[in-house]
Amino acid sequence: MITKTSPPPILAERLRNAIQSATLAPSSHNTQPWMFRISEGGVELIADKRRACPVVDPDNRELYISCGAALYHLRLAMKADGLATLVKILPTRDNPDLVARVLVAGTHIPSSDERTLFNAIPKRRTNRFPFENREVDPELQVEWINDVRSEHARIHFLQTSQQKHAAADLVSEGDRLQASDPDFRRELAQWVHSNNSSRRDGLPGYTHGVSDFASNFDSFVVRTFDWGDGQAAKDRQLAEGSPLLAVIATNTDTVADWIACGQALAKMLLRAASWSVDASFLNQAIEVETLRKRLANLTDNEGVPQLLLRLGYGKEVKPTPRRPLSEVII
């Protein structure tokens, strides 16, 4: 029986398929901090604060960025399925968890670009391993500038050795500061798990090169020891050895900016995947507020830094797990 607030069965299934694509968006620690509600008019995206990381992300900035990425995937999947969309960004002081409502606004003929980006959704990965010493196509960099601008954010490329060295200094300093904090280590350990775990979220050991056997102890090691120096050295090499570093920034630092940043990030990463370019995050330099201000200096203080990415060509990596729809649809 169909209630007043339920969409027709065929439309409901199409919206479920779009939500499936939305769940493949990137998120901090692969926390997947989102829920969805299907209604007669479309889909509501809700921030799942139960999956927040209050130590590393006390203002939920990265949580809302993650939700913004899921929102872009949702919009794109609906358009690729021939559904025109009307998007309302909705967080308010009284209801901060309702991120957005994506309404079905008729039919839509997908453009070739929308199809290209949609087809890249299952190809996108976060690749935490070293990249080849190969320049990222300048034409793609122009595409990224346009992609990010279309979602009301801006991007700055750090390409010179001096810029990359300065960014690597901030990242390695962030590693040491974070790893010296027992609360940070305990929080991170909650999201690190064995390769053989049945969990459908978080970071299996294989995402950072840990064997099946060693991954059984990964959470214990992360929680117990100050591994900052070792991680700082590793991340310094990754930053300085990457062909390209990029900062995504916004004009201000509000919840709406964070959601916009997430949408810009998702579009950019899908464009990268369609060109077989890999990406990963070096957000330590943003998560520590004093370092964030210094990172802003590298971009001439043009906007507020929200994300620091490394971009290049890497070896193929496995996808991280995803929660089933039964856990994310209300």
Side-chain angles (χ1 to χ4, degrees), residues 74-269:
L74 179 66
R75 289 170 48 204
L76 178 65
M78 290 172 67
K79 288 182 177 180
D81 190 32
L83 299 173
T85 61
L86 175 63
V87 181
K88 296 185 177 181
I89 307 298
L90 293 170
T92 64
R93 186 181 300 274
D94 295 331
N95 191 3
D97 296 349
L98 181 55
V99 174
R101 184 176 291 124
V102 184
L103 303 174
V104 177
T107 59
H108 174 75
I109 300 175
S111 67
S112 60
D113 190 58
E114 288 167 343
R115 291 190 181 279
T116 294
L117 295 178
F118 173 74
N119 290 335
I121 287 178
K123 302 175 185 176
R124 188 208 62 79
R125 305 278 190 273
T126 298
N127 189 331
R128 298 170 177 83
F129 297 94
F131 293 156
E132 299 174 17
N133 185 21
R134 177 157 49 116
E135 181 186 15
V136 176
D137 194 317
E139 184 178 339
L140 176 56
Q141 296 180 43
V142 174
E143 294 275 0
W144 283 332
I145 292 171
N146 294 329
D147 286 339
V148 171
R149 182 182 296 143
S150 71
E151 299 301 327
H152 311 293
R154 61 179 73 187
I155 188 168
H156 305 277
F157 296 117
L158 308 179
Q159 304 187 72
T160 68
S161 57
Q162 183 178 5
Q163 288 173 319
K164 288 193 283 188
H165 179 75
D169 282 344
L170 298 178
V171 170
S172 58
E173 186 174 345
D175 278 325
R176 293 188 180 93
L177 290 170
Q178 289 181 329
S180 67
D181 181 354
D183 291 335
F184 172 86
R185 298 199 305 268
R186 280 191 290 269
E187 182 175 86
L188 177 58
Q190 294 175 7
W191 297 100
V192 174
H193 57 78
S194 163
N195 292 343
N196 302 313
S197 172
S198 61
R199 284 181 56 173
R200 307 305 300 164
D201 59 9
L203 301 171
Y206 63 74
T207 61
H208 44 280
V210 176
S211 68
D212 288 351
F213 176 75
S215 70
N216 293 320
F217 311 98
D218 212 10
S219 180
F220 171 78
V221 171
V222 167
R223 181 176 62 253
T224 307
F225 301 103
D226 183 343
W227 33 261
D229 287 344
Q231 191 66 41
K234 177 181 177 181
D235 286 341
R236 175 179 289 281
Q237 288 184 332
L238 289 177
E240 293 186 329
S242 296
L244 187 62
L245 299 179
V247 177
I248 298 181
T250 52
N251 288 333
T252 54
D253 202 23
T254 66
V255 172
D257 288 303
W258 303 338
I259 295 170
C261 175
Q263 295 200 80
L265 168 71
K267 188 172 185 179
M268 175 188 173
L269 292 184

